[in-house]
Amino acid sequence: MQTQGCDALSLGLPEVARALICTGPDSQVRAFDAAAGECTVYGPDDRAKVLTEVGVFLTGIATERPFWPGDGLLPPCQSA
């Protein structure tokens, strides 16, 4: 149950960019352009570009004010 608010924002990413972020770093995303009858394949380099753009965007937002993730969060997992 959520009792407090937290900062959140939509990145408003296009479908291909969203798919690239949601897939693994070595995955490919295929987009079919029905009008042209062509398929475009996006891969790890395209994913890295999207992540860089998101990082730049978030850095700009964070300079305005820090994000508040909410209270009562679990501690980060420890690496083995």
Side-chain angles (χ1 to χ4, degrees), residues 5-23:
C6 68
D7 287 337
L9 71 127
S10 172
L11 298 175
L13 296 174
E15 290 181 22
V16 170
R18 210 170 42 238
L20 284 165
I21 289 176
C22 291
T23 59

Side-chain angles (χ1 to χ4, degrees), residues 10-74:
S10 172
L11 298 175
L13 296 174
E15 290 181 22
V16 170
R18 210 170 42 238
L20 284 165
I21 289 176
C22 291
T23 59
D26 297 321
S27 298
Q28 292 183 339
V29 171
R30 297 175 188 273
F32 182 70
D33 181 347
E38 297 175 350
C39 184
T40 303
V41 179
Y42 300 91
D45 291 340
D46 300 299
R47 183 178 192 268
K49 289 176 189 172
V50 171
L51 290 173
T52 298
E53 291 172 9
V54 168
V56 168
F57 174 73
L58 292 177
T59 299
I61 295 291
T63 59
E64 294 176 14
R65 67 182 180 96
F67 285 111
W68 177 63
D71 292 326
L73 300 176
L74 297 173

